[in-house]
């Protein structure tokens, strides 16, 4: 009979510590007495058939020839087995990523040959590519937040471990304030968790004008310009992006308020006049101002109407504005008036029939809205702030009190006497 023939071994590499189970393939494996790796016998071997042996490698180094010896002799073929050293890791880039996984990590080191696995905290990488004997590109699997040991395993063994940190996605629990003008520029305080290594703060996908990370639970951001309406606010870190559908993470952009009318447009200096302001985008009003002074009170009736009560104010024209989260409205004029005063009537007597023209003299008469002789309204013309002419209505003989009414008040009364015509 002929000596044995060895044609291949699988695997053909293993760690220098030995212990690799190798399938030796060939012919004439009958009466096997020894299997050697170089000059060192296998730790153990089992003859499976005349063409296959299972052997366990001893410790060794370098590349050695595998031989089989039987009672008929020793194989003479050159079938190498290589003792490979374990790989080493020197760096990970990046060394952190979201708990959801999916981060492409570049592993640098040595001995990246015949790589069988890349693991993150014992969990196999989602995928990996061996770029060279010194570089691997691996995709991190999903894992709970926290540190994870990254290792590379080859036929030479398992590498040292380097730390990859899994970071939880940030979350937003509140915004203050949560509304502001469409022009942007509102400083908003975001509270939440996971505000570490923040890369962006966005309002409906538009980057904040600026932001400052105050702590892992607080960010101060300045709103960008945006159309009126709700905007989802998100924070992005190495751990991912916060939930854009979180109801606590919406900022409401308000349109600039506008005023179109005031009714009435004047009132007494004593205040207390109820003024109806008409306009647009009036919801959420925070103040109604008369020349910068807050109204005594106000009620937002609708998006187009506010009812405000005036405070006391010096006489004269003022500018009325409304402030909402959308900004400050255009101004409209409101006039504070002193109460009218009557000093004299000329003439102060006349017939009982209508038609006598009476000149009323006094002060604060420019905005006269009514002249009465007793309770009877009379036709009138405002001549100046100190003079009104009126036509006395018919009435019974005797004295009657004449008054002037303006938006400020009703004046004091002056006596006009009707004299009956003489009888014959």
């Amino acid at each position: 009979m002929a000596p044995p023939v060895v044609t291949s071994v699988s695997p053909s590499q293993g760690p220098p510590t030995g212990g690799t189970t190798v399938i030796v393939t060939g012919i004439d494996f009958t009466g096997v007495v020894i299997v050697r790796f170089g000059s060192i016998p296998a730790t153990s071997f089992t003859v499976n058939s005349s063409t296959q042996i299972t052997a366990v490698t001893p410790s060794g180094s370098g590349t050695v020839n595998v031989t089989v010896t039987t009672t008929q002799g020793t194989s003479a073929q050159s079938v190498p087995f290589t003792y490979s050293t374990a790989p080493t890791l020197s760096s990970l880039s990046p060394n952190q990523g979201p708990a959801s996984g999916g981060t492409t990590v570049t592993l640098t080191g040595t001995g990246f040959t015949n790589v069988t696995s890349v693991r993150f905290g014992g969990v196999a990488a989602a995928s990996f590519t061996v770029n060279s004997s010194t570089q691997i590109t691996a995709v991190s699997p999903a894992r709970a937040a926290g540190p994870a040991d990254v290792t590379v395993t080859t036929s030479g063994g398992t590498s040292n471990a380097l730390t990859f940190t899994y970071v939880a996605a940030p979350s937003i629990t509140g915004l203050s304030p949560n509304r502001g003008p469409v022009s942007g520029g509102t400083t908003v305080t975001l509270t939440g968790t996971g505000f570490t290594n923040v890369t962006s703060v966005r309002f409906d996908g538009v980057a904040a004008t600026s932001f400052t990370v105050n702590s892992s639970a607080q960010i101060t951001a300045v709103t960008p310009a945006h159309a009126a309406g709700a905007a989802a606010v998100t924070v992005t870190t190495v751990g991912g992006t916060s939930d854009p559908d979180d109801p606590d993470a919406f900022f409401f952009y308000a349109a600039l308020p506008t005023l179109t009318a005031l009714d009435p447009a004047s009132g007494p200096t004593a205040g207390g006049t109820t003024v109806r302001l008409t306009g647009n985008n009036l919801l959420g009003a925070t103040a109604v101002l008369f020349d910068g002074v807050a109204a005594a009170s106000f009620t937002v009736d609708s998006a187009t109407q506010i009812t405000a009560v005036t405070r006391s104010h010096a006489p004269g024209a003022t500018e009325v504005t409304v402030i909402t989260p959308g900004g400050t409205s255009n101004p409209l004029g409101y006039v504070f008036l002193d109460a009218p005063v009557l000093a004299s009537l000329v003439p102060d007597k006349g017939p009982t029939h209508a038609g006598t023209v009476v000149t009323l003299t006094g002060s604060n008469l420019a905005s006269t809205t009514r002249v009465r002789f007793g309770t009877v309204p009379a036709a009138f013309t405002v001549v100046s702030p100190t003079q009104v002419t009126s036509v006395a209505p018919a009435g019974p003989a005797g004295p009657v009190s004449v008054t002037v009414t303006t938006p400020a008040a009703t004046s004091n009364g002056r006596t006009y006497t009707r004299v009956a015509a003489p009888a014959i």
Side-chain angles (χ1 to χ4, degrees), residues 151-162:
T151 57
V152 174
T153 299
T154 70
S155 57
T158 298
S159 70
N160 58 302
L162 292 182

Side-chain angles (χ1 to χ4, degrees), residues 342-389:
L342 278 181
S344 65
L345 305 178
V346 178
D348 61 0
K349 295 181 177 62
T352 56
H353 61 80
T356 301
V357 176
V358 180
T359 299
L360 293 70
T361 302
S363 58
N364 308 317
L365 307 180
S367 57
T368 297
T369 58
R370 184 172 294 174
V371 175
R372 284 191 177 92
F373 282 70
T375 59
V376 180
F380 69 92
T381 300
V382 176
V383 178
S384 72
T386 60
Q387 191 176 90
V388 174
T389 59

Side-chain angles (χ1 to χ4, degrees), residues 19-409:
T20 303
T21 298
V22 177
I23 301 298
V24 182
T25 303
I27 59 175
D28 296 330
F29 294 161
T30 302
V32 177
V33 294
I34 195 166
V35 177
R36 288 188 175 88
F37 288 77
S39 60
I40 303 173
T43 303
S44 64
F45 69 89
T46 301
V47 178
N48 304 320
S49 69
S50 62
T51 59
Q52 185 183 85
I53 298 171
T54 301
V56 177
T57 62
S59 59
S61 62
T63 300
V64 297
N65 194 41
V66 180
T67 59
V68 173
T69 300
T70 70
T71 55
Q72 301 301 312
T74 299
S75 61
Q77 296 72 37
S78 178
V79 180
F81 179 87
T82 301
Y83 285 96
S84 303
T85 57
T88 61
L89 277 176
S90 57
S91 68
L92 304 176
S93 180
N95 63 0
Q96 56 184 349
S100 58
T103 303
T104 299
V105 182
T106 299
L107 293 71
T108 304
T110 61
F112 298 159
T113 304
N114 295 317
V115 176
T116 56
S117 72
V118 176
R119 293 184 174 274
F120 289 71
V123 179
S127 65
F128 69 89
T129 302
V130 179
N131 305 318
S132 69
S133 63
T134 60
Q135 187 182 87
I136 296 171
T137 303
V139 178
S140 64
R143 195 176 185 278
D149 286 342
V150 179
T151 57
V152 174
T153 299
T154 70
S155 57
T158 298
S159 70
N160 58 302
L162 292 182
T163 300
F164 181 88
T165 302
Y166 281 92
V167 182
S171 65
I172 297 174
T173 57
L175 305 175
S176 180
N178 67 352
R179 57 186 64 231
V182 294
S183 57
T186 303
T187 298
V188 181
T189 299
L190 290 72
T191 54
T193 60
F195 297 161
T196 304
N197 296 318
V198 176
T199 56
S200 72
V201 176
R202 294 183 176 272
F203 290 73
D204 240 10
V206 179
T209 302
S210 64
F211 69 89
T212 302
V213 179
N214 306 318
S215 69
S216 62
Q218 187 183 88
I219 296 172
T220 303
V222 178
T223 61
H226 190 282
V233 182
T234 56
V235 173
T236 300
T237 70
V238 294
T241 299
S242 61
D243 182 4
D245 297 322
D246 190 328
D248 294 324
F250 279 88
F251 184 85
F252 297 89
Y253 281 91
L256 187 70
T258 59
L259 288 177
T260 56
L262 302 178
D263 183 30
S266 58
T269 56
T273 302
T274 298
V275 181
R276 184 172 65 251
L277 291 73
T278 304
N280 295 292
N281 307 316
L282 304 181
L283 290 178
T286 56
V288 176
L289 305 178
F290 288 75
D291 262 0
V293 178
S297 64
F298 71 90
T299 302
V300 179
D301 304 316
S302 68
T304 60
Q305 183 175 294
I306 293 176
T307 303
V309 178
T310 62
R311 290 185 184 275
S312 61
H313 193 284
T318 63
E319 288 189 340
V320 181
T321 54
V322 172
I323 297 176
T324 74
T328 300
S329 73
N330 59 299
L332 289 182
Y334 180 87
V335 180
F336 282 93
L337 302 170
D338 280 326
V341 176
L342 278 181
S344 65
L345 305 178
V346 178
D348 61 0
K349 295 181 177 62
T352 56
H353 61 80
T356 301
V357 176
V358 180
T359 299
L360 293 70
T361 302
S363 58
N364 308 317
L365 307 180
S367 57
T368 297
T369 58
R370 184 172 294 174
V371 175
R372 284 191 177 92
F373 282 70
T375 59
V376 180
F380 69 92
T381 300
V382 176
V383 178
S384 72
T386 60
Q387 191 176 90
V388 174
T389 59
S390 181
V391 179
V400 63
S401 180
V402 179
T403 58
V404 171
T405 298
T406 72

